[in-house]
Amino acid sequence: MYYQILYFFELAWCKCEKKLNQFRMFLYIALTLALVFLGYVANSLADLTDETGFPSAFQQKKETIKLVGKKETKDTVEFPNANNPHGMFSDENKVNIEFIESASKVEIRGLVKPIRELTLSSNRIARISEINFKEGDSFKQGEKLVRFNCLQQRAEERAAEAEALAREAVFKNNQDLSKFNAVGSLELELSKSQYEKARADLNVLTVRNWDCAIKAPWNGRVTEVKAHTLEVVEPGREIMKILDDSSLEIEMIVPSKWLAWLQPGMNFPIIIDETGKSYESYISRIGARVDPVSQTLRIFASFKDDVPDVLAGMSGKAVLNFPL
């Protein structure tokens, strides 16, 4: 009985699989005929379009893609963004060279920078006893900007001085004994070397602890204070940043082809954005390297007169006379 039932199921499955294969064959033939028919209809529509003169949808799409892909290019030069002093560029600052060369005047961005600026740091391990100036304060050359507590260093200097005196006494005593051949030549030379080393160590401490302060190298202003009173600083630690606000210059980026007519000494006005005023200036020097990517170079200019209301970091529009 079991084998009869199994035989019945196998017979039924074979018949179903045969019907399924016939259905697949019929579906494949139907799809093939449908594709052939659609190809024939497409060719007929294309022939009809050619006869009537109207473009097909495919041709319209192709023309649209061609028009969109077509783009006219012109040589452009990018100038620094006034809102970004790190040299970044924006689309608003792109200047068309063809337009520039057809104009009598051209405006470019300029950034005011200090000629001299400095970061003061410590050359010793010491505690700061006093910081005499805050951010924005003005100072004169020679004034003490930072004072250190050098009590420990002074004590070390006195100890080195005593060591030097002791080595000197031993050396002089050996010199006297050598006159009577009471001391060997090696011992005499050794005492001399020890005395000279002690004097050198004393000189190092004397120079290091000479003033226990940092003095201003020139007149200027404090831009940033990076330490506090009573802090212990190590050698190389940044304490203060200063700049000379009496010597400012203007940095600009121009196309390299302008080298044909740009010359040091050329006068031009610059309008500073922050003050809204115009200041007379002149080109002081021209950069020594052209950027091969953007085909630009840096030029530098100086103010003709004193500009107490202009600060480092300000920017503006420089108006140059372009030769026609």
Side-chain angles (χ1 to χ4, degrees):
M1 183 65 181
Y2 171 75
Y3 292 103
Q4 290 179 354
I5 294 174
L6 183 60
Y7 173 77
F8 173 76
F9 277 109
E10 289 181 355
L11 183 61
W13 172 254
C14 291
K15 291 182 178 181
C16 292
E17 188 175 5
K18 182 178 180 182
K19 295 291 184 182
L20 183 60
N21 291 334
Q22 292 177 355
F23 177 74
R24 289 175 178 172
M25 182 63 67
F26 172 77
L27 183 61
Y28 176 75
I29 295 173
L31 289 176
T32 303
L33 294 175
L35 291 175
V36 172
F37 176 75
L38 291 176
Y40 174 76
V41 172
N43 292 333
S44 300
L45 291 177
D47 295 338
L48 181 61
T49 301
D50 294 336
E51 293 176 359
T52 56
F54 292 100
S56 63
F58 175 76
Q59 290 176 338
Q60 290 180 353
K61 183 177 181 180
K62 185 176 181 181
E63 291 295 330
T64 303
I65 294 175
K66 183 177 180 181
L67 290 175
V68 171
K70 185 179 180 181
K71 183 179 180 181
E72 295 183 357
T73 58
K74 293 183 178 179
D75 293 333
T76 59
V77 176
E78 296 179 350
F79 293 107
N81 191 345
N83 298 324
N84 193 337
H86 298 290
M88 299 300 293
F89 299 93
S90 65
D91 292 338
E92 297 178 355
N93 291 319
K94 290 182 178 179
V95 181
N96 192 290
I97 293 179
E98 295 179 358
F99 173 76
I100 290 177
E101 293 181 350
S102 63
S104 59
K105 294 182 181 295
V106 61
E107 295 181 353
I108 59 175
R109 299 297 304 179
L111 177 65
V112 180
K113 299 178 63 177
I115 296 179
R116 294 188 295 185
E117 57 182 338
L118 184 65
T119 299
L120 302 177
S121 60
S122 173
N123 63 346
R124 73 194 76 193
I125 299 178
R127 185 184 302 274
I128 298 176
S129 61
E130 187 178 3
I131 297 179
N132 298 322
F133 296 90
K134 299 179 180 180
E135 184 173 343
D137 289 345
S138 299
F139 54 83
K140 299 294 184 181
Q141 182 178 3
E143 287 187 314
K144 295 182 178 181
L145 303 177
V146 182
R147 291 178 180 269
F148 298 98
N149 185 345
C150 294
L151 295 179
Q152 180 179 354
Q153 287 77 5
R154 296 293 187 189
E156 293 175 354
E157 183 179 351
R158 289 193 294 271
E161 184 177 3
E163 178 69 16
L165 291 175
R167 295 295 182 183
E168 183 181 10
V170 172
F171 172 59
K172 289 183 177 180
N173 182 64
N174 287 339
Q175 278 185 323
D176 293 338
L177 293 176
S178 64
K179 296 177 181 178
F180 304 98
N181 294 324
V183 65
S185 58
L186 176 60
E187 187 176 356
L188 177 62
E189 291 297 327
L190 183 60
S191 62
K192 179 180 179 182
S193 299
Q194 291 175 346
Y195 168 63
E196 292 177 349
K197 181 179 181 300
R199 291 292 303 175
D201 293 339
L202 177 61
N203 291 335
V204 170
L205 293 177
T206 301
V207 172
R208 184 179 300 172
N209 304 328
W210 176 66
D211 201 12
C212 273
I214 299 178
K215 292 184 178 182
W218 20 255
N219 299 343
R221 298 181 66 180
V222 178
T223 59
E224 186 178 0
V225 178
K226 308 187 70 173
H228 302 86
T229 304
L230 302 182
E231 277 192 55
V232 177
V233 294
E234 63 278 1
R237 163 77 182 276
E238 295 183 358
I239 299 176
M240 182 183 295
K241 291 185 176 182
I242 61 175
L243 60 83
D244 183 3
D245 60 342
S246 63
S247 56
L248 301 175
E249 66 179 3
I250 308 164
E251 180 180 341
M252 297 166 286
I253 298 179
V254 300
S256 57
K257 64 169 55 180
W258 288 10
L259 287 173
W261 55 272
L262 280 178
Q263 294 181 356
M266 183 178 296
N267 299 323
F268 65 92
I270 181 172
I271 303 174
I272 301 298
D273 297 338
E274 287 78 4
T275 63
K277 298 179 181 179
S278 177
Y279 304 88
E280 291 297 325
S281 55
Y282 63 93
I283 297 177
S284 57
R285 67 184 191 277
I286 297 176
R289 182 181 180 86
V290 174
D291 186 351
V293 178
S294 61
Q295 292 297 304
T296 58
L297 80 158
R298 299 177 185 271
I299 62 174
F300 302 88
S302 301
F303 292 99
K304 284 189 172 182
D305 304 317
D306 293 335
V307 285
D309 54 342
V310 177
L311 301 178
M314 291 184 176
S315 60
K317 295 184 296 185
V319 182
L320 298 177
N321 292 323
F322 196 95
L324 296 176

